[in-house]
Amino acid sequence: MSGAAPIPMSATLAADEALARRQRAGEQVLYMAGGEIGLPVLPALRRQLAAAADRNAYGPVPGSHALRAAAAGYWGRRGLAVDPGLVVAGPGSKPLLFALLLAIGGDVVVPVPSWVSYVAQARLVGARPIPVPIAPGQGGVPDPERLRAAVVAARAAGRDPRCVVVTLPDNPTGTVASPGTVRRLAATARELDLVIVSDEIYRDLVYDTSVPAESPALHAPERTVVTTGLTKNLAVGGWRTGVAGLPDSDTGRALHDRLVSVASQIWSSPPAPMQAAAAYAFGEPTEITEHVAACRRLHESVARAVADRFTGAGAALAPVRATCYLYPDFGPLRDRLARDHGVRGGEDLVRFLVERHGIGLLAAGAFGEPGDPLRIRAATSRLYGEDDERRTAALTAPAPLELPWIRKNLEQIDTALTDLTGAPVP
């Protein structure tokens, strides 16, 4: 369209499409770029959706009372007091985040690195993103001191930053910001009168609990919006459902009204059958909690195995604590990679691994990192098997790394890293 601002394709979705083309051409492909969780749907959850298939009315814009009450209960069990009347459901957490940015208005502070869509969504709503680096090991949360400086400078230049988006736990780094960092973020947001949008869709996938994973809503409840969904913990990305819990304050109530108005103009109401299944899931009956625990154990086992391979190859990597994401830094191997392969940045590294070994990953630039550093994001959630039979076996196996298809995938990674570094991966 002539004169229209360019809108980039989501980097994760574009990478998956490119890998699918390679696979259709007969290449052996290992999907490690996108965030799809390669696990089967829990049968009890599938039955809930099927039983609600005859629900075809629009229903309330923010979602059914049952869904909103279940979501409030879900957060309440995690120490967050959320009024069901201030919960808004939507067709996925991604549209909800977009609608929230539109409802809040103004410019948006985003951490660097951060999920690929935060910056794009800010631009789509007419805002200007304000990138602020994270502190080492504190992925998902911009460094509070640098956040303060960036917002003060932006306002002095006539800009209007109104919110900061954070991810707890983090995509792309797989780390969890410490309670101290989260508390300082909350204090800084209060000082600067910023709304915090806390994307907590990975909260149920924290497997290293040696340091608590805290929400900023614990420390700045009057200005924190919490979002989540079922895409990651229950591996139902194609079902598209999400919820946002807004603060019980003047700010939160005004934002709730604006968000509902935005939703009424964009999606009218969440899909009714999906609401029934989501209400059941957020109610957390035993079969749900046991299934999520099994998923978490599998993610931990495979993510740690891949992390060991990256560090064994000489990459630097923050300790993996959650999710199925790794963010290795090959900077320590810079001279060797440039000399042996002409690999000088993340884009070169991604190209080398996909063209020579069929392994699809994303360069750090996709997550807002400047200067094409030698960092990549690897997602391990598609290594569990190519069909539901194998994925179910992986989910229930006491030693999933010993399954032949998972072992084969790990060996493909070993071969690629050995070729890349010139030495066997320990």
Side-chain angles (χ1 to χ4, degrees):
M1 295 175 62
S2 177
I7 301 171
M9 178 76 170
S10 164
T12 52
L13 300 181
D16 273 353
E17 287 191 8
L19 291 172
R21 287 194 295 271
R22 286 178 175 271
Q23 190 172 53
R24 288 194 297 270
E27 297 182 32
Q28 184 179 359
V29 170
L30 200 58
Y31 286 81
M32 297 185 70
E36 181 84 58
I37 306 294
L39 289 171
V41 179
L42 179 67
L45 187 60
R46 191 166 60 235
R47 289 193 293 271
Q48 292 290 326
L49 182 63
D54 61 345
R55 301 188 185 184
N56 61 346
Y58 283 114
V61 172
S64 69
H65 175 74
L67 173 54
R68 288 181 281 124
Y74 168 90
W75 281 310
R77 289 186 291 277
R78 287 152 180 79
L80 305 180
V82 176
D83 181 347
L86 291 171
V87 174
V88 178
S93 60
K94 184 185 274 191
L96 268 175
L97 288 163
F98 176 79
L100 275 164
L101 297 183
L102 192 59
I104 294 168
D107 292 334
V108 183
V109 178
V110 296
V112 178
S114 64
W115 178 53
V116 298
S117 289
Y118 292 150
V119 167
Q121 287 195 352
R123 289 176 175 148
L124 282 170
V125 302
R128 286 185 289 176
I130 300 172
V132 176
I134 64 170
Q138 305 294 305
V141 176
D143 180 84
E145 283 67 43
R146 298 174 82 167
L147 166 64
R148 179 185 293 105
V151 170
V152 168
R155 286 175 174 166
R159 296 177 62 180
D160 183 24
R162 298 186 196 175
C163 77
V164 52
V165 180
V166 302
T167 316
L168 292 156
D170 183 40
N171 173 9
T173 68
T175 60
V176 183
S178 70
T181 295
V182 174
R183 284 192 292 270
R184 288 188 290 116
L185 167 79
T188 302
R190 183 176 287 128
E191 172 193 335
L192 299 170
D193 194 23
L194 296 174
V195 173
I196 303 171
V197 177
S198 186
D199 181 353
E200 300 183 11
I201 199 165
Y202 297 99
R203 179 162 185 156
D204 292 341
L205 300 184
V206 178
Y207 35 78
D208 178 357
T209 57
S210 58
V211 178
E214 293 189 356
S215 170
L218 289 174
H219 308 291
E222 81 287 355
R223 64 184 58 252
T224 302
V225 181
V226 180
T227 70
T228 192
L230 307 179
T231 300
K232 306 304 178 182
N233 63 348
L234 289 170
V236 288
W239 286 21
R240 310 312 303 146
T241 186
V243 288
L246 286 87
D248 189 3
S249 63
D250 290 345
T251 296
R253 285 184 287 274
L255 181 55
H256 170 271
D257 292 346
R258 285 181 55 81
L259 179 60
V260 171
S261 295
V262 169
S264 74
Q265 300 291 359
I266 298 178
W267 60 76
S268 299
S269 63
M274 196 56 247
Q275 290 187 63
Y280 161 80
F282 282 122
E284 296 187 294
T286 301
E287 56 266 35
I288 287 287
T289 56
E290 290 179 349
H291 183 71
V292 171
C295 294
R296 187 166 54 240
R297 287 192 296 270
L298 178 59
H299 292 320
E300 177 180 15
S301 179
V302 177
R304 288 193 186 280
V306 177
D308 288 345
R309 283 160 168 79
F310 282 131
T311 55
L317 181 65
V320 55
R321 294 191 55 210
T323 79
C324 48
Y325 301 125
L326 305 170
Y327 202 63
D329 182 358
F330 284 81
L333 302 172
R334 180 176 301 278
D335 292 344
R336 175 187 294 178
L337 298 185
R339 181 189 68 238
D340 294 349
H341 306 294
V343 169
R344 292 177 172 80
E347 292 291 347
D348 288 342
L349 183 54
V350 166
R351 192 176 305 112
F352 174 92
L353 290 170
V354 73
E355 291 181 355
R356 287 181 55 157
H357 297 281
I359 300 176
L361 303 125
L362 284 178
F367 303 92
E369 294 252 35
D372 193 25
L374 264 170
R375 285 190 284 276
I376 55 175
R377 203 285 303 269
T380 62
S381 53
R382 298 279 292 275
L383 306 184
Y384 309 143
E386 295 182 356
D387 54 50
D388 278 356
E389 182 179 359
R390 288 185 171 187
R391 293 164 182 165
T392 300
L395 197 59
T396 57
L401 301 182
E402 297 178 7
L403 294 171
W405 56 91
I406 292 181
R407 189 166 62 243
K408 179 183 176 183
N409 289 335
L410 294 176
E411 288 170 353
Q412 186 174 346
I413 296 170
D414 290 341
T415 299
L417 291 175
T418 297
D419 182 25
L420 178 69
T421 63
V425 176

